[in-house]
Amino acid sequence: MAWDDNLLPDQRTAAAHTGNHARLLAGPGTGKTLTLSRHICFLVAEQNVSPGTILAVTFTRAAARELRQRVENELGEGRCPRISTLHSFALRQLLKNATRISDLPQPLRIADDWEERNIILEDIKVLLGLKRISESRDLLNELSADWQSLTADGADWEKRFPNPRFLGLWREHRQIYGYTLRSELVYQLKKALEQRGDFELECPFEYLLVDEYQDLNRCDLAVVHEIASRNVELFIAGDDDQSIYGFRKAHPEGIRRFPRDYAGAEELSLEICKRCDRRILDLGLFVAQQDPRRVEKEIRSEPGREQGEVAILRFPRQDAEAAGIAGLCAHLVNGHGLKPDDILILLRSDHNGAFSSPIREKIEEAGIPVAAATDTTSPLDGADGRAFLAFMRLTARREDSLAWRTLFQVWCNGIGSGAVGAIYDVARGRGMTFAQAVLAAHDDTSILPSNHRSRISAAIQSVLDQLDDLFPGDAMEEYESCDDLMNVVRVAAESLIEDEEEYESVLLEFERAAEVAEATSIEELVRATEVASEDIEQELEKGKVNILTMHRAKGLTAEAVIVAACEDQYIPGRAQGYAVDDERRLLYVSLTRAKHHLFVTYCDKRTGPQRHTGRDSGRVARSLTQFLIDCSHTPEDGIAFINRLAEE
């Protein structure tokens, strides 16, 4: 396949760019990923650029995998450049320069999300004498935010931190458990690039491609700038209208300021939306254009696209809304011939299934398969999956402190907080890590308090015995290829994970991590899982209507989309920290997931924990309604609409 086959003129122009920095503005459905893949193909196939000199950075693992697959399909295996998330890239660079990094515990070990929640936050709560885990979570989030926003670079930053005691206790805890937080990786890379002239990147990159540039925070932007300053040609792609990660300190001004930050950069754009019917795109753009700071851009539907089905549906109560949504699903399946998995139902949030449960029940009553996929739990967070991962980590490195601690919590019976605290005290008193204290206690139990000796000794021995059973002798040294590694993973998982569904989920997570990291050893494979939870990928269930949160719909498309509970305090969200601009962009992204059918629902009165009442509850939905009226697209009242459906 030629690099420019089946490209639209604006896609071809962007893909063939070379010679200076460039910004590609690409709205929803305009073929951004296609253009990025063809740009790589152009560089390699037409400009004879070595793949090893090209680095492509994406925001999620799913995006990295899709881009890699496209390039490999077009160029063939072995000619694909390095494609990864920014966190994975940062980890590789820090590992390569580990001896030059003095700020981090060595060897470099990233705490994953489960370890943050169940070990680090719990310990900090106890160490600081806090009443609730939410208080320690707020402190850790504040620390991460300060890295992401570069507030931590300030000279008096520590004095201004909300709880100065936290920083000292956290640093001690980090040293004893030997971990680095995932949110710290990019910040440490930024510092190293700025401060160390001997810091070496893994390859002599000449081209840097950055996808979803609008989602980068200030720290991410600083790293990109440092790399670009090394005579690297920078090609960025994104859309400020789709910046929805403000809670991660995403800085959409980065893509807006790009022409000023990189003088002489080429301006490129993709203008034809091949996803949304015209009326759907018009409604989405109406929302996006309320932001006066956005970059003006042209985007239009493909010529000849039908207007599409759009309706704003108002209901008196949440039970009527749930029944109405079920009626919509039946209308789409029976009246339009859609399959259930052609339908997405999007919610702003869904704590404990508050919104999804009544909707799911009504859809089930209508005889349509449905799944609520609003949970953000990793496949590795089950007890068996977590224990298996810990054993894999101990196989790679016997002195993995967090792995030992994990097994004490989820696998060993009789090891409570008191026994763990006793080991922690030994480590602190002797200047050891937690794992070193564990192994020292195995050799000499007298270093432990007498009331914990027998339990701790038995637990340590049970872990070591299990390791010997899983990975006897030096068998691991015989495996070199990733395929062989995955066979090892399968065999070991079979002996530890009884539930077949959990077993399959764990294997899939390892396979994805191995693919992104291109792992060739157990150590590399395990390291890949440490940053894998940065992007818990949304798995849509086949053959079912899928209910999910708006944020998790990013990158997805569907024949039909139902945006539910479009009421003030939910859309836009009114929780602390929610910015109106972020919420507006989130709505825009949600609306533009739809290809042919789009419905927005809201109700006047909602009961339970999400209760509200009053005629102002649906101001956003009513503004969408007015837009449709102004465009001569008369919306229908929700009840009347559903009654009509029932008559069909």
Side-chain angles (χ1 to χ4, degrees):
M1 177 186 294
W3 69 271
D4 59 349
D5 279 358
N6 301 316
L7 294 183
L8 298 174
D10 54 359
Q11 295 171 337
R12 185 179 295 107
T13 299
H17 167 81
T18 189
N20 58 339
H21 303 317
R23 177 182 74 174
L24 174 63
L25 293 175
T30 56
K32 172 170 61 67
T33 303
L34 171 65
T35 304
L36 284 173
S37 68
R38 297 297 183 87
H39 179 53
I40 294 173
C41 295
F42 172 79
L43 292 174
V44 175
E46 296 296 318
Q47 301 295 301
N48 296 315
V49 174
S50 169
T53 65
I54 303 172
L55 169 65
V57 175
T58 66
F59 194 68
T60 66
R61 287 186 299 154
R65 184 167 60 251
E66 181 182 358
L67 185 57
R68 183 181 301 105
Q69 289 172 347
R70 286 177 179 262
V71 173
E72 287 180 346
N73 289 339
E74 293 160 8
L75 291 178
E77 292 188 15
R79 302 186 72 194
C80 189
R82 171 72 73 177
I83 302 173
S84 74
T85 64
L86 190 55
H87 282 101
S88 295
F89 172 75
L91 176 59
R92 289 197 306 275
Q93 310 319 305
L94 294 173
L95 287 170
K96 178 178 175 60
N97 294 269
T99 59
R100 302 181 178 94
I101 307 295
S102 59
D103 293 348
L104 300 175
Q106 298 295 336
L108 198 60
R109 162 70 156 92
I110 312 304
D112 63 31
D113 284 350
W114 187 93
E115 291 163 337
E116 283 192 22
R117 292 193 306 270
N118 295 277
I119 296 176
I120 299 171
L121 292 179
E122 287 289 346
D123 285 3
I124 288 172
K125 183 188 76 169
V126 174
L127 291 169
L128 284 174
L130 304 175
K131 294 181 179 179
R132 296 178 296 275
I133 191 75
S134 60
E135 296 178 76
S136 53
R137 183 183 299 111
D138 289 344
L139 290 169
L140 202 65
N141 287 342
E142 181 70 25
L143 179 60
S144 297
D146 287 353
W147 290 327
Q148 294 162 347
S149 63
L150 301 184
T151 303
D153 283 354
D156 59 344
W157 164 65
E158 292 198 20
K159 295 180 181 178
R160 293 184 289 107
F161 196 82
N163 188 330
R165 279 189 67 225
F166 162 81
L167 294 174
L169 286 170
W170 169 73
R171 286 180 177 126
E172 179 184 81
H173 187 270
R174 173 175 78 163
Q175 196 63 41
I176 288 176
Y177 279 102
Y179 63 82
T180 297
L181 295 175
R182 192 180 65 247
S183 57
E184 189 181 6
L185 284 173
V186 180
Y187 181 70
Q188 290 293 344
L189 176 59
K190 185 219 53 111
K191 286 176 54 179
L193 288 170
E194 290 177 345
Q195 300 173 6
R196 297 199 63 93
D198 59 346
F199 191 92
E200 299 178 0
L201 296 176
E202 62 179 332
C203 294
F205 297 115
E206 298 176 9
Y207 299 87
L208 173 60
L209 285 69
V210 184
D211 192 13
E212 305 291 6
Y213 198 79
Q214 76 279 351
D215 292 327
L216 271 58
N217 56 49
R218 293 178 184 271
C219 184
D220 300 332
L221 293 168
V223 167
V224 170
H225 181 78
E226 285 295 323
I227 297 174
S229 69
R230 301 187 175 199
N231 296 316
V232 173
E233 183 176 303
L234 179 59
F235 186 102
I236 68 112
D239 178 12
D240 61 319
D241 290 333
Q242 299 186 74
S243 179
I244 62 173
Y245 294 109
F247 61 93
R248 297 179 180 173
K249 298 300 177 181
H251 188 58
E253 286 302 312
I255 194 169
R256 294 168 180 165
R257 290 179 50 89
F258 189 86
R260 285 174 285 173
D261 294 338
Y262 297 89
E266 182 114 8
E267 289 289 295
L268 304 165
S269 63
L270 304 181
E271 299 180 355
I272 305 298
C273 174
K274 302 182 72 173
R275 177 192 304 160
C276 306
D277 285 341
R278 181 176 65 82
R279 193 185 301 182
I280 295 171
L281 182 61
D282 287 348
L283 187 64
L285 289 173
F286 165 72
V287 173
Q289 290 165 354
Q290 306 306 306
D291 186 352
R293 296 177 299 173
R294 68 186 291 268
V295 179
E296 289 294 330
K297 57 186 77 70
E298 183 73 22
I299 180 171
R300 57 192 183 278
S301 296
E302 270 188 303
R305 286 291 292 267
E306 297 189 8
Q307 291 188 358
E309 184 176 29
V310 180
I312 315 299
L313 308 178
R314 176 184 177 185
F315 299 93
R317 301 173 311 280
Q318 66 207 55
D319 56 343
E321 181 191 38
I325 290 172
L328 281 174
C329 293
H331 162 69
L332 292 165
V333 172
N334 302 323
H336 288 275
L338 269 61
K339 302 187 296 295
D341 53 15
D342 289 330
I343 305 171
L344 290 181
I345 300 173
L346 304 184
L347 301 167
R348 174 60 183 85
S349 60
D350 190 40
H351 184 63
N352 293 328
F355 289 97
S356 64
S357 293
I359 296 172
R360 188 180 67 250
E361 290 172 6
K362 290 296 183 181
I363 295 175
E364 288 173 343
E365 289 176 7
I368 299 172
V370 59
T374 57
D375 190 12
T376 58
T377 302
S378 166
L380 297 175
D381 283 358
D384 287 348
R386 183 53 44 176
F388 172 70
L389 178 57
F391 277 115
M392 295 296 293
R393 286 171 169 163
L394 288 181
T395 300
R397 190 173 70 88
R398 193 59 57 93
E399 291 190 0
D400 188 314
S401 294
L402 287 178
W404 278 104
R405 172 68 181 275
T406 297
L407 289 172
F408 288 160
Q409 287 189 203
V410 305
W411 194 75
C412 299
N413 295 323
I415 300 296
S417 58
V420 168
I423 301 172
Y424 188 91
D425 290 341
V426 170
R428 182 169 54 183
R430 295 179 174 238
M432 296 176 168
T433 66
F434 187 86
Q436 288 170 342
V438 167
L439 297 174
H442 178 253
D443 295 333
D444 180 11
T445 59
S446 67
I447 67 174
L448 298 169
S450 58
N451 58 326
H452 293 296
R453 286 174 189 170
S454 60
R455 286 193 298 275
I456 294 175
S457 179
I460 296 171
Q461 192 60 54
S462 68
V463 171
L464 296 174
D465 290 343
Q466 183 66 66
L467 278 171
D468 288 340
D469 290 341
L470 289 173
F471 310 107
D474 298 326
M476 299 307 300
E477 298 177 2
E478 301 175 6
Y479 296 95
E480 296 181 357
S481 74
C482 188
D483 288 341
D484 287 333
L485 288 177
M486 287 309 303
N487 287 333
V488 172
V489 172
R490 291 186 186 93
V491 171
E494 285 176 356
S495 64
L496 279 174
I497 304 175
E498 295 182 0
D499 184 83
E500 184 175 351
E501 185 175 346
E502 185 173 2
Y503 168 80
E504 294 294 338
S505 299
V506 167
L507 286 185
L508 181 60
E509 193 69 8
F510 267 84
E511 288 171 354
R512 287 171 171 168
E515 180 184 9
V516 173
E518 300 177 9
T520 59
S521 69
I522 287 292
E523 183 176 7
E524 290 177 355
L525 180 58
V526 170
R527 284 196 180 281
T529 67
E530 293 170 6
V531 293
S533 57
E534 67 185 318
D535 172 40
I536 301 169
E537 298 170 28
Q538 187 62 64
E539 290 292 332
L540 301 181
E541 292 201 35
K542 295 182 179 180
K544 297 182 179 181
V545 174
N546 281 272
I547 307 174
L548 60 156
T549 60
M550 291 177 166
H551 281 100
R552 304 198 50 90
K554 182 75 178 290
L556 301 177
T557 64
E559 296 292 312
V561 170
I562 302 170
V563 180
C566 189
E567 302 142 23
D568 282 2
Q569 74 183 307
Y570 309 130
I571 305 176
R574 291 289 187 259
Q576 185 177 3
Y578 289 172
V580 172
D581 289 343
D582 284 353
E583 296 293 296
R584 182 190 301 113
R585 292 190 289 265
L586 184 59
L587 180 59
Y588 172 62
V589 168
S590 301
L591 298 175
T592 54
R593 299 309 93 193
K595 295 180 180 179
H596 306 299
H597 310 271
L598 173 65
F599 304 95
V600 177
T601 72
Y602 70 108
C603 64
D604 296 327
K605 183 178 181 180
R606 198 173 292 276
T607 58
Q610 287 71 40
R611 66 181 181 274
H612 72 77
T613 184
R615 60 186 304 273
D616 290 336
S617 62
R619 285 180 294 180
V620 171
R622 286 198 298 277
S623 71
L624 300 180
T625 300
Q626 189 60 50
F627 173 78
L628 293 178
I629 293 173
D630 293 343
C631 294
S632 299
H633 305 318
T634 304
E636 300 181 67
D637 176 82
I639 296 177
F641 187 82
I642 299 304
N643 287 338
R644 179 172 68 79
L645 294 180
E647 295 171 358
E648 293 180 350

